């Protein structure tokens, strides 16, 4: 028997309000093969999608709305995506000195948790309206959008560090990340729709090599109340930072989903001292 979506909605809103952070949602992040390159060097960008650092799952090309490379002179270079599911690695020709920015956006996705007529818990990567005929109740339904950013320094970093590049949700470091030294503290301001964000959200961070376990972060998930946060960059190497917000769906969309999640990630590299002397060959 067809279940009324309006009846399901009342129960669903109550259940959704009690749910935790939603660790099931894959996070997208973008990296470069090298984050400090010589002029004329081609180095691949690539994606990671999931819960393990530094590499986890592949991503479908349809999941990526765009991938862009921002040159130091302001030129925007579009990356033409190959079809299929992979890490989507593409060579970037670093033909200009300065700080480059790699950015990407996902196409919005849906994830619905629901129970069928036999009270079995089910999952659908789709809006909840698609399961309304089969569901006895909806546990939660979420719409997710994500943005990813990373920096690459070619020869000499730009004098004016491109901290903010205009993503709909963006992590903006307070200073040039390539000048950060291990042990220093780095401040971040979240921007939303081009303006400093002063609302609530959550952030976490880790460096690559800290842990190989799923969602085992050096800086565990921490609540933010004003859109700003800081943490100690205790070691040299490649760092991953993530921030997300969760809000109730607009009234006109509550037949499709109950919550909206927006996530933004940043990967940057902190240079460190060489630990062993160079050798002549390898």
């Amino acid at each position: 028997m067809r279940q009324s979506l309006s009846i399901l909605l009342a129960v669903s809103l109550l259940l959704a309000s009690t749910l935790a952070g939603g660790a099931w949602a894959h996070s997208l992040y973008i990296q470069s093969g090298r984050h400090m390159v010589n002029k004329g060097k081609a180095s691949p960008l690539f994606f990671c999608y999931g819960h393990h650092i530094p590499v986890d799952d592949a991503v479908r090309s349809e999941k990526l709305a765009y991938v862009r490379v921002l040159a130091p002179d302001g030129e925007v270079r579009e990356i033409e995506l190959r079809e299929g599911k992979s890490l989507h690695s593409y060579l970037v020709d670093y033909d200009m000195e300065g700080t480059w920015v790699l950015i990407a956006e996902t196409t919005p996705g849906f994830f619905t948790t629901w129970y069928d007529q036999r009270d079995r818990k089910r999952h659908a990567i789709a809006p909840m309206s698609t399961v309304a005929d089969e569901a006895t109740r909806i546990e939660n339904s979420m719409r997710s959008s994500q943005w990813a950013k990373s920096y690459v320094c070619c020869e000499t970093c730009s004098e004016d560090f491109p901290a903010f590049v205009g993503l709909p949700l963006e992590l903006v470091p307070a200073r040039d990340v390539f000048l950060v030294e291990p042990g220093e503290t780095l401040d971040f301001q979240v921007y939303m729709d081009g303006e400093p964000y002063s609302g609530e959200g959550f952030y976490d961070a880790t460096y690559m090599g800290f842990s190989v376990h799923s969602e085992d972060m050096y800086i565990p998930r921490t609540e933010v109340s004003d859109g700003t946060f800081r943490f100690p960059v205790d070691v040299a190497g490649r760092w991953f930072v993530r921030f997300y917000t969760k809000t109730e769906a607009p009234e006109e969309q509550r037949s499709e989903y109950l919550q909206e999640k927006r996530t933004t990630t940043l990967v940057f590299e902190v240079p460190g001292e060489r630990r062993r002397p160079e050798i002549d060959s390898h």
Side-chain angles (χ1 to χ4, degrees), residues 19-96:
L19 293 181
W24 49 261
H26 271 37
S27 291
L28 182 84
Y29 48 106
I30 187 171
Q31 300 182 65
S32 177
R34 289 173 54 185
H35 285 265
M36 302 187 74
V37 300
N38 298 322
K39 184 179 178 180
K41 167 72 175 178
S43 186
L45 65 77
F46 60 99
F47 287 91
C48 299
Y49 189 53
H51 305 281
H52 295 77
I53 304 295
V55 178
D56 198 350
D57 204 357
V59 60
R60 294 176 293 108
S61 56
E62 296 85 0
K63 187 64 182 174
L64 297 169
Y66 65 76
V67 180
R68 293 170 183 158
V69 177
L70 311 183
D73 65 353
E75 179 189 1
V76 179
R77 304 182 184 182
E78 298 281 348
I79 298 294
E80 184 176 349
L81 301 179
R82 296 185 297 272
E83 293 185 2
K85 185 177 182 179
S86 69
L87 298 184
H88 282 283
S89 178
Y90 302 93
L91 280 176
V92 178
D93 184 13
Y94 292 98
D95 54 8
M96 185 185 310

Side-chain angles (χ1 to χ4, degrees), residues 151 161 172-181 183-189 203 228-234 239 241 266 268-270:
Y151 296 106
F161 177 65
V172 178
R175 56 195 176 104
D176 190 333
V177 296
F178 292 103
L179 300 180
V180 176
E181 295 186 1
E184 294 184 338
T185 298
L186 186 57
D187 292 274
F188 291 86
Q189 169 69 63
Y203 89 92
T228 64
F229 60 90
R230 66 173 58 178
F231 63 84
V233 183
D234 287 331
W239 282 79
V241 191
L266 170 65
F268 65 96
E269 190 169 274
V270 174

Side-chain angles (χ1 to χ4, degrees), residues 70-72 97-101 151-154 156-158 161-162 176 178:
L70 311 183
E97 292 188 12
T99 303
W100 296 63
V101 191
Y151 296 106
V152 177
C153 176
C154 179
T156 302
C157 299
S158 299
F161 177 65
D176 190 333
F178 292 103

Side-chain angles (χ1 to χ4, degrees), residues 10-279:
V11 177
S12 303
L13 286 171
L14 178 61
L15 288 169
S17 67
T18 64
L19 293 181
W24 49 261
H26 271 37
S27 291
L28 182 84
Y29 48 106
I30 187 171
Q31 300 182 65
S32 177
R34 289 173 54 185
H35 285 265
M36 302 187 74
V37 300
N38 298 322
K39 184 179 178 180
K41 167 72 175 178
S43 186
L45 65 77
F46 60 99
F47 287 91
C48 299
Y49 189 53
H51 305 281
H52 295 77
I53 304 295
V55 178
D56 198 350
D57 204 357
V59 60
R60 294 176 293 108
S61 56
E62 296 85 0
K63 187 64 182 174
L64 297 169
Y66 65 76
V67 180
R68 293 170 183 158
V69 177
L70 311 183
D73 65 353
E75 179 189 1
V76 179
R77 304 182 184 182
E78 298 281 348
I79 298 294
E80 184 176 349
L81 301 179
R82 296 185 297 272
E83 293 185 2
K85 185 177 182 179
S86 69
L87 298 184
H88 282 283
S89 178
Y90 302 93
L91 280 176
V92 178
D93 184 13
Y94 292 98
D95 54 8
M96 185 185 310
E97 292 188 12
T99 303
W100 296 63
V101 191
L102 313 176
I103 61 172
E105 178 177 339
T106 64
T107 55
F110 296 88
F111 188 87
T112 300
T113 306
W114 56 286
Y115 289 83
D116 64 17
Q117 302 287 339
R118 297 173 61 182
D119 204 36
R120 294 175 300 185
K121 189 173 183 177
R122 307 285 295 273
H123 305 278
I125 306 177
M128 65 183 189
S129 61
T130 62
V131 300
D133 289 346
E134 304 172 70
T136 57
R137 68 184 189 276
I138 304 289
E139 184 175 82
N140 193 25
S141 185
M142 182 179 295
R143 181 183 189 267
S144 174
S145 300
Q146 300 191 48
W147 296 268
K149 180 174 73 169
S150 192
Y151 296 106
V152 177
C153 176
C154 179
E155 295 283 352
T156 302
C157 299
S158 299
E159 183 175 346
D160 294 325
F161 177 65
F164 172 71
V165 298
L167 297 177
L169 185 66
E170 183 173 356
L171 283 168
V172 178
R175 56 195 176 104
D176 190 333
V177 296
F178 292 103
L179 300 180
V180 176
E181 295 186 1
E184 294 184 338
T185 298
L186 186 57
D187 292 274
F188 291 86
Q189 169 69 63
V190 179
Y191 274 69
M192 183 177 287
D193 300 325
E195 300 292 337
Y197 175 66
S198 58
E200 298 177 348
F202 296 87
Y203 89 92
D204 51 15
T206 197
Y207 59 87
M208 301 189 186
F210 171 71
S211 175
V212 297
H213 298 286
S214 173
E215 296 294 334
D216 186 14
M217 310 291 275
Y218 183 64
I219 307 293
R221 187 178 66 191
T222 304
E223 188 170 2
V224 172
S225 60
D226 61 357
T228 64
F229 60 90
R230 66 173 58 178
F231 63 84
V233 183
D234 287 331
V235 300
R238 198 167 293 190
W239 282 79
F240 165 85
V241 191
R242 172 175 56 190
F243 177 86
Y244 72 86
T245 63
K246 271 189 178 182
T247 56
E248 289 190 4
E251 189 66 37
E252 65 274 14
Q253 294 295 328
R254 290 194 180 181
S255 63
E256 298 298 303
Y257 60 96
L258 302 176
Q259 289 183 316
E260 181 164 22
K261 184 177 183 182
R262 305 179 87 196
T263 305
T264 187
T265 62
L266 170 65
V267 171
F268 65 96
E269 190 169 274
V270 174
E273 297 294 329
R274 188 180 183 90
R275 297 189 178 188
R276 298 286 187 270
E278 293 189 59
I279 57 177

